[in-house]
């Protein structure tokens, strides 16, 4: 069963600035890349889940969902996320492929998550 929420726009409601904003963050771009490579995955299977706080992962997934880049459906107790490739390609032909192909393949999720964890540690120390 697919969960259609107010945070998940219909393809005709996609706004290019929202999509580009969502893809402008390296962590969100890595999430999209990972989902394209692996296919539909639960949040818990994302390698980011152990590297960044759940609240941060939830925020990034919400931004992607609100822009229309991913959809979320419930399977039992799990929430399964997948990239809406067909919908995005229909609305903005070639955009997703162009963004994913120009992004550095060496941009991996783990180094970005570790960098985010270091920044969090510095912020806590500064308080």
């Amino acid at each position: 069963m697919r969960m259609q929420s107010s945070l998940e726009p219909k393809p005709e409601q996609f706004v290019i600035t929202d999509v580009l904003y969502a893809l402008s963050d390296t962590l969100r771009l890595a999430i999209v890349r990972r989902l394209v490579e692996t296919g539909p995955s639960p949040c818990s299977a994302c390698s980011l889940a152990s590297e960044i706080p759940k609240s941060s992962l939830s925020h990034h997934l919400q931004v992607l969902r609100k822009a229309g880049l991913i959809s979320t459906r419930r399977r039992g107790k799990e929430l399964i996320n997948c990239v809406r490739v067909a919908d995005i390609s229909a609305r903005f032909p070639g955009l997703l492929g162009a963004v994913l192909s120009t992004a550095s393949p060496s941009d991996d999720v783990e180094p970005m998550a570790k960098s985010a964890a270091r920044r969090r540690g510095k912020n806590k120390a500064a308080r």
Side-chain angles (χ1 to χ4, degrees), residues 35 39-47 49 57 61 73 75 78-82:
L35 287 171
S41 303
C43 295
S44 59
C46 180
S47 63
L57 181 58
L61 291 171
R73 60 185 164 82
R75 184 176 68 193
E78 292 183 313
L79 293 177
I80 308 298
N81 295 295
C82 65

Side-chain angles (χ1 to χ4, degrees), residues 7 28 31 43 48-49 52-65 70 79 81:
L7 292 178
R28 289 192 292 266
I31 292 169
C43 295
L48 288 172
I52 65 172
K54 287 181 184 180
S55 60
S56 295
L57 181 58
S58 177
H59 165 75
H60 288 297
L61 291 171
Q62 179 182 354
V63 170
L64 292 168
R65 194 176 306 113
I70 65 171
L79 293 177
N81 295 295

